[in-house]
Amino acid sequence: MNIVVLIKQVPGNSDVKLDPKTGNLIREGIDAIINPDDLQALETAITLKETLGAKVTVLTMGPPQAIDALSEAIGMGADGAILLSDRAFAGADTWATSFTLGKAIQRIGKFDLILAGRQAIDGDTAQVGPQVAECLDLPQVTYVFDIETVENGYVRVKRRLEDGYERIQCSLPALLTIIGGPVKPRYPEVASLLSACHAKAPIQVWNAADIGVTTADVGMSGSFTQVVKTFAPKFERHGELLEGSAVEVVHNLIERLKQNKLI
Amino acid sequence: MAVWVEIDLCDGCRRCKRECPYDAIEIKDGKAQIGDRCTCCGACLEVCHHKAIHTDIQPKTIPDFSEYKGIWVFAEQRGGNLTRVSVELLGKAQELAKQLNEEVSAVLIGHHVADLADTLIQFGADLVYLADGEIFGNYRSEPYSYVLDELIKAYKPSILLMGATHIGRDLAPRVSRRTGSGLTADCTELSIDREEGILLQTRPAFGGNVMATIANRFSRPQMATVRPGVMEVVPTPGKEGVVITHESKVTEDQVRTKILEFVKEESPHVDLSKAKIIVAGGRGVNDLEGFGLLHELASALGAEIAGTRVAVEAGWISAANQVGQTGVTVRPELYVACGVSGAIQHRAGMMDSRFIVAINKDPYAPIFKVADWGIVGDLFDVIPELTKGLKTSCEVMCD
């Protein structure tokens, strides 16, 4: 079985801030990590490799430093990795991203399962997985938290819904988006991690020409949506601080709740 | 393709640096330098007073979309029950339609769901497109995206809104790709740009630390998913509308997924987005016993109980009760935050509550910035006292 895992490198802590003067993102001093849902997808793929036997190829699109995420993936047990990196890919929305990833997967050629995280913590869109599935005309199941079986050309999975879950059978090849389940992603092994950083590591870097796309179809130029404005959210209210003993503050609070007909 | 600076013309005024949405411009030795992060978006070109920034990028032309009209809402239903967010979206759609002087339509897909069409009209739909068939009995990505694509191609809407539910977030990207439209996820604000007549879609990014307004100028329909609980329901009692029945060409042999069973989760499902009063606990509640105090307060107030991500991860409360960026967005009349520090991810999910009470030991906790009434104190003293006080005040009223 051939599995392709889509991962994204994202800022490691969510304390991303806007410069109050310029409105730009402050990026200094922020670690990059593999997006948590994607890490779960990777763990799922490696588990399938161990139980059923599979070749796991990891694919990411990003700047040159995203290669760190691929080394980590190989350290966890992936067999090979591909970095899509080209200035032309920059500024892509999910439309252009899914097209670019779709083209790269077509070049990889052989696959039975494509696994992706449900969503990335920087964009939170959850769009790229389903859009890649549609690009490649594959069936999809999103919000998957358990893969029951992969046999006879079908995969059986559990899909999370707001009030329970569905058990779904889906023909292969298919794309699944993965959410966190009971299994925590493993840590990379030191030996594999070291070999992944070696010059002969099975990591390839592909650019726009390698996957046969023109610059007009990818990145900012290939996108339908544009950010027209970014701003820091405003939450402040003019609050009143109630002071005194517990009895006093509670008395004052109940007065205010009554005045506003809340109780 | 590139953007570059004519050094001789640049006076280092920093306007371009300020304008760059990608933080790609640095000022070195009094001159602007464009770095690797540049995406050739062209934002800097317009602000340069000395025309020092040049590009070889051809401006992208906006196609003629004049035949695309109307605002569509995907009316999500499960087992014949409309999800609340569908009705919320009809509320917002009415407002947008008024500004554009266009019609509001609902798209209703399912099996034996025709009865819901009238409900959709009573909440603002001028038109209901109905696709009813056995193949649509339970939601599946493929048949639903096929039929939506058929409808879009036949009737050409300008805007298509869906709830950012597990179904909406599965369906919208699939339809977007199939139809050839851009899509913005999880919006919390929608408005019309009066000059261009386009939809402005505002959404939180980076865990709620940044708000981004996004436009979709180059494709139709302009698609967006919207967080449940954010838009207001606007009933239109007595309204009359038209139902248009659509016969889809999609057949079962085109569908590659099969639902084997649906398992309802045992824990009673609370819909926090409908709650009038919510009592929420965070790290400061300490343990399950602490949450016991919150449950008592909640029952005195007639409130639902909720928690922060920390409280959910610690197992004090179920994941369905998580409020915040990765949980539910709520807007109750009253939100009582106990031992909640008020991380921005949490605030993003509750800041639209009408009144907010915060109880926290730390006077510098950010939750106080969004509170109407703050109590700096030990919640283990304050909450039992408050529960007691509420019970007596109720008894006084009942007498």
Side-chain angles (χ1 to χ4, degrees), chain A residues 14 24 95 142 160 235 237, chain B residues 20 170 209 265 351 353:
Chain A
S14 49
N24 284 330
W95 171 270
T142 54
R160 171 72 56 209
F235 297 120
R237 302 180 180 220
Chain B
C20 177
D170 185 271
N209 290 287
E265 222 92 68
M351 63 180 179
S353 304

Side-chain angles (χ1 to χ4, degrees), chain B residues 12-23:
Chain B
C13 72
R14 312 182 89 86
R15 278 192 188 87
C16 55
K17 182 176 162 62
R18 279 198 295 272
E19 191 65 22
C20 177
Y22 299 94
D23 213 6

Side-chain angles (χ1 to χ4, degrees), chain A residues 258, chain B residues 300 390-399:
Chain A
K258 278 184 188 160
Chain B
L390 286 165
K391 280 185 183 156
T392 28
S393 85
C394 173
E395 277 159 20
V396 171
M397 279 162 67
C398 297
D399 290 344

